[in-house]
Amino acid sequence: MRPMTPPRLWDAVVVGAGPGGSTAANLLARRGRRVLVLDKAAFPRPHIGESLLPGVNAVFERLGVFRRLERERFWFKTGGSFIWGRDARPWSTHFVQKAEVFGYAVDERATFTWHVDRERFDAILLDEARRRGAAVRTGVEAVDADARGGRVRSLTVRGADGRREVLRAKVFVDASGQAAVLSRLMGWREPDPQLRSSSLGAYFTGARFFTGALSSRVFLEALPDGVALWCALAGGRLAVHV
């Protein structure tokens, strides 16, 4: 595929090259739209959020990455185990069984998901968006937005070399997650006093994992002031988030 000549007006500029941004770019590019994806970080880059849900498997099929994810041999997951509620004894749930539920046949894809290594996972999604025709620029930071008339009309970005560029598009998509890049630049971001919380995450090696049926589940425990999540990863790594 020949490099895309940057248009004077993009159909869509997507801020954030994580799963949300890659998904938006993939689907737009499939429709023949001229799409540009921007991210401040260089890829592949580390990120937390490894535990998926089976509901996204159908999305992976639509994006064209499901078979690729299967080949990556991420940690297989079929449900969750919990220490939660008044009873301190652990209990477990399965997503669904390969039988009929409420009289409807269950899609095979609804029975499992994965714990993913986000560096590899995010890169797979971004590579597929690029393969579908989206332009991708990493190491680029959005620094200003023109929002005359109550809508984003242009975005000023700064590259790793310090040079600035003004980008224009019919649609700007903020897929930057908690960074809320466009909302912050527009002054639209408002904190919710009921959601004043924080989290810590760390990765460990050498942990002893559960065996048998428990090995394919995420583990969560309710704490007096929050929640702890243990997530086994391929290669003998353990992700812990509190």
Side-chain angles (χ1 to χ4, degrees):
M1 181 181 297
R2 292 182 300 175
M4 177 187 291
T5 301
R8 298 183 64 180
L9 179 68
W10 293 92
D11 289 318
V13 169
V14 180
V15 181
S22 295
T23 297
N26 182 318
L27 297 178
L28 287 168
R30 282 169 178 255
R31 290 296 192 96
R33 302 297 190 265
R34 296 170 299 177
V35 185
L36 173 64
V37 185
L38 307 172
D39 202 289
K40 182 179 178 180
F43 276 60
R45 53 93 172 96
H47 208 281
I48 65 171
E50 302 82 5
S51 186
L52 305 182
L53 290 172
V56 298
N57 287 343
V59 178
F60 294 150
E61 287 271 19
R62 186 178 178 189
L63 296 178
V65 299
F66 185 80
R67 301 306 172 193
R68 170 77 184 277
L69 294 175
E70 284 188 316
R71 293 193 300 269
E72 286 292 319
R73 302 183 68 83
F74 290 124
W75 192 276
F76 194 74
K77 183 172 84 169
T78 60
S81 296
F82 306 84
I83 297 180
W84 200 291
R86 297 179 180 179
D87 192 336
R89 291 176 298 181
W91 52 278
S92 299
T93 61
H94 294 79
F95 292 130
V96 291
Q97 302 296 330
K98 298 178 183 178
E100 291 192 353
V101 178
F102 301 119
Y104 295 93
V106 175
D107 190 322
E108 174 87 7
R109 296 168 304 185
T111 65
F112 72 92
T113 184
W114 299 282
H115 293 161
V116 297
D117 182 318
R118 286 292 301 275
E119 288 191 38
R120 290 158 54 202
F121 175 73
D122 288 13
I124 289 170
L125 296 183
L126 186 59
D127 286 346
E128 185 64 20
R130 186 187 286 111
R131 193 179 75 83
R132 295 291 177 178
V136 177
R137 294 172 59 184
T138 57
V140 177
E141 181 182 9
V143 294
D144 195 14
D146 178 357
R148 289 172 297 168
R151 55 166 296 196
V152 179
R153 298 179 179 276
S154 67
L155 188 66
T156 301
V157 299
R158 180 174 58 214
D161 58 2
R163 294 183 182 180
R164 296 194 176 206
E165 179 184 358
V166 177
L167 301 173
R168 292 178 173 81
K170 298 176 183 178
V171 174
F172 290 87
V173 178
D174 191 343
S176 58
Q178 294 186 42
V181 172
L182 289 183
S183 296
R184 177 171 46 80
L185 291 175
M186 303 291 293
W188 294 341
R189 188 174 187 179
E190 297 183 8
D192 187 330
Q194 296 185 27
L195 297 177
R196 292 175 59 109
S197 59
S198 59
S199 63
L200 298 174
Y203 296 89
F204 300 88
T205 58
R208 290 184 297 172
F209 295 158
F210 289 120
T211 59
L214 291 175
S215 66
S216 62
R217 298 180 186 140
V218 66
F219 187 80
L220 296 95
E221 180 180 3
L223 304 175
D225 297 317
V227 177
L229 178 148
W230 285 265
C231 182
L233 301 175
R237 298 171 65 218
L238 177 68
V240 180
H241 305 299
V242 180

